[in-house]
Amino acid sequence: MDNRILTVTSPLLPDLVEFTDELRKIWDKRWITNNGEYHQRLEATLAEYLGVEYISLFTNGTLPLLTAFQALDIRDGEVITTPYSFVATTHAIWWNGLTPVFVDIDPKTGNIDPEKTEEAITERTRAILPVHVYGNPCDTKRIQEIADKHHLKIIYDAAHAFGVERDGKSILLDGDISTLSFHATKVFNTIEGGAMVVHSTEMKQRIDDLKNFGFHDEVTVVAPGINSKMDEIRAAYGLLNLRQVDDAIARRKEIVNRYRNSLRNVSGIRYFDDIEGIRHNYCYFPIYVDEEEFGMSRDTLYNIMREKGILGRRYFYPLISDFPIYSHLPSARPENLPNARKMADSVICLPLFPDMTEEDEERVLNCIV
Ligand SMILES: *Cc1c(COP(=O)(O)O)cnc(C)c1O
């Protein structure tokens, strides 16, 4: 029996020989960071790949979230967000001295519920920070209507939405700002890395200043910016990875479809199907375990898998609103967030990465079917 540890994800790595060639060029040039040639090329290539006009690279996916509020001049008040995400989403609000207001999710998508979002708006609300969870697009049209009506900004945490399109258009074009993560665990990675997508030359310039301490030129500092520049080595790595990301997504799709076919008739197991008109990126394969119907709780399944060396992940458990730093907030009350709680207690993400084999997939399925 194969007892090799199977993790939920495994990074997409560039070809080592090709990467070494690029490193040699960087060594020869001795330009290793600060908007070098590779940085500029990765921005241009990503903009084209993603179908967006303005993108700024960052050193991870958390700092663009933090910087988004500064870029939009949001300095006080409340920000409506989802508790069903990675903790960095809410941390970005906290770091800006703003108050997070948690709103429940729509169980059909895992994303923030637009109607409950509108109900949570007060005179202190400044912005909405939704997440395209698992790369499922939010109801961006409805969220935009609500934001327009109440004069709010929208920042999308699009860490899961790399390459996701609706009707042939990038989902990153919605809202005022979208942020991406290129962490090793994501569909496209630069080891650590991230980006911000904006919609004007002026905003892109502002972002490029803010991520470089606020320097506009050698002697002008326009704001107390941060240092979140991507270096040349990771930009070169990213350019190589970008060439194989379409194949990686195609391979993910095959694996997901095998999971779906094998789990279709298992009672008590549910999963997201593809949505018509959406180009998915298959970043995760979350399954919802209905304890009563399946005859086993999500946590029991999680532990059985662990004993067999299969490290599924309970994304997203605990809810962000359950961490002690946030649980005192009025909006964190359990009765305010029943759908999010149910999902946090019922979902497990199965291993999914491009070089996963059929045997790996069989091992996972044998724990469930
Ligand atoms: C990964 C992730 C982040 C943070 O990105 P880092 O690159 O790890 O800083 C933020 N939000 C969500 C939803 C994520 O999944």
Side-chain angles (χ1 to χ4, degrees), residues 65 69 79-86 89-90 93 101 103-105 110-114 117 127-133 136-144 146-147 152-161 174-179 320:
L65 276 173
F69 293 100
V79 177
I80 295 175
T81 192
T82 169
Y84 193 72
S85 179
F86 182 60
T89 310
T90 306
I93 300 171
V101 174
V103 160
D104 206 4
I105 57 169
N111 291 327
I112 198 165
D113 183 321
T117 298
I128 309 173
L129 174 54
V131 181
H132 303 294
V133 175
N136 287 337
C138 290
D139 187 347
T140 54
K141 197 159 154 253
R142 184 74 190 108
I143 294 171
Q144 189 66 56
I146 294 165
L152 307 175
K153 299 289 187 191
I154 309 170
I155 300 163
Y156 282 106
D157 181 342
H160 301 177
D174 289 314
D176 294 283
I177 284 178
S178 291
T179 66
I320 303 175

Side-chain angles (χ1 to χ4, degrees), residues 41-315:
R41 269 173 50 205
L42 182 57
E43 278 193 352
T45 316
L46 269 173
E48 199 187 325
Y49 177 87
L50 295 169
V52 302
E53 206 152 351
Y54 304 100
I55 187 165
S56 291
L57 295 174
F58 275 72
T59 199
N60 59 48
T62 301
L63 285 166
L65 276 173
L66 243 75
T67 304
F69 293 100
Q70 191 184 13
L72 296 171
D73 259 323
I74 300 170
R75 296 157 191 255
D76 58 16
E78 297 170 355
V79 177
I80 295 175
T81 192
T82 169
Y84 193 72
S85 179
F86 182 60
V87 70
T89 310
T90 306
H91 282 354
I93 300 171
W94 187 94
W95 272 94
N96 280 278
L98 307 165
T99 306
V101 174
F102 297 110
V103 160
D104 206 4
I105 57 169
D106 175 349
K108 290 195 293 298
T109 61
N111 291 327
I112 198 165
D113 183 321
E115 305 320 314
K116 289 178 183 153
T117 298
E118 187 161 28
E119 287 163 22
I121 294 170
T122 71
E123 72 278 7
R124 286 184 36 81
T125 310
R126 299 285 178 274
I128 309 173
L129 174 54
V131 181
H132 303 294
V133 175
Y134 310 131
N136 287 337
C138 290
D139 187 347
T140 54
K141 197 159 154 253
R142 184 74 190 108
I143 294 171
Q144 189 66 56
E145 279 171 11
I146 294 165
D148 288 345
K149 183 168 156 200
H150 299 273
H151 310 290
L152 307 175
K153 299 289 187 191
I154 309 170
I155 300 163
Y156 282 106
D157 181 342
H160 301 177
F162 184 89
V164 174
E165 295 176 352
R166 178 190 278 137
D167 300 327
K169 271 184 71 183
S170 173
I171 202 78
L172 305 171
L173 296 170
D174 289 314
D176 294 283
I177 284 178
S178 291
T179 66
L180 292 162
S181 165
F182 304 150
H183 183 254
T185 53
K186 311 292 198 229
V187 166
F188 167 77
N189 84 86
T190 58
I191 307 177
E192 295 276 352
M196 188 179 322
V197 172
V198 296
H199 310 309
S200 70
T201 320
E202 296 72 34
M203 189 55 113
K204 157 112 172 104
Q205 185 59 58
R206 180 158 169 77
I207 301 305
D208 288 343
D209 295 347
L210 288 176
K211 75 174 190 191
N212 186 28
F213 312 96
F215 276 112
H216 184 66
D217 57 38
E218 242 179 80
V219 291
T220 317
V221 170
V222 295
I226 204 155
N227 177 12
S228 188
K229 305 187 297 297
M230 181 179 284
D231 59 78
E232 288 291 273
I233 295 171
R234 287 185 294 150
Y237 175 108
L239 277 164
L240 292 175
N241 254 355
L242 199 52
R243 299 209 310 236
Q244 45 174 4
V245 76
D246 277 337
D247 286 345
I249 291 174
R251 179 70 195 117
R252 284 172 173 277
K253 181 176 181 167
E254 284 174 15
I255 297 165
V256 164
N257 281 331
R258 280 192 76 217
Y259 271 140
R260 286 173 176 163
N261 288 336
S262 306
L263 296 173
R264 182 141 290 150
N265 296 316
V266 178
S267 85
I269 298 290
R270 288 191 273 286
Y271 49 80
F272 295 111
D273 270 307
D274 284 359
I275 305 164
E276 210 184 301
I278 303 297
R279 182 208 186 226
H280 290 277
N281 65 9
Y282 307 95
C283 52
Y284 298 99
F285 188 67
I287 59 168
Y288 182 98
V289 182
D290 182 313
E291 180 171 356
E292 237 166 75
E293 250 185 84
F294 185 59
M296 188 193 286
S297 73
R298 184 278 311 270
D299 286 337
T300 306
L301 176 61
Y302 168 79
N303 286 319
I304 287 176
M305 284 169 53
R306 275 189 84 86
E307 278 164 28
K308 298 191 169 159
I310 299 164
L311 309 183
R313 291 294 297 268
R314 291 170 291 185
Y315 296 139

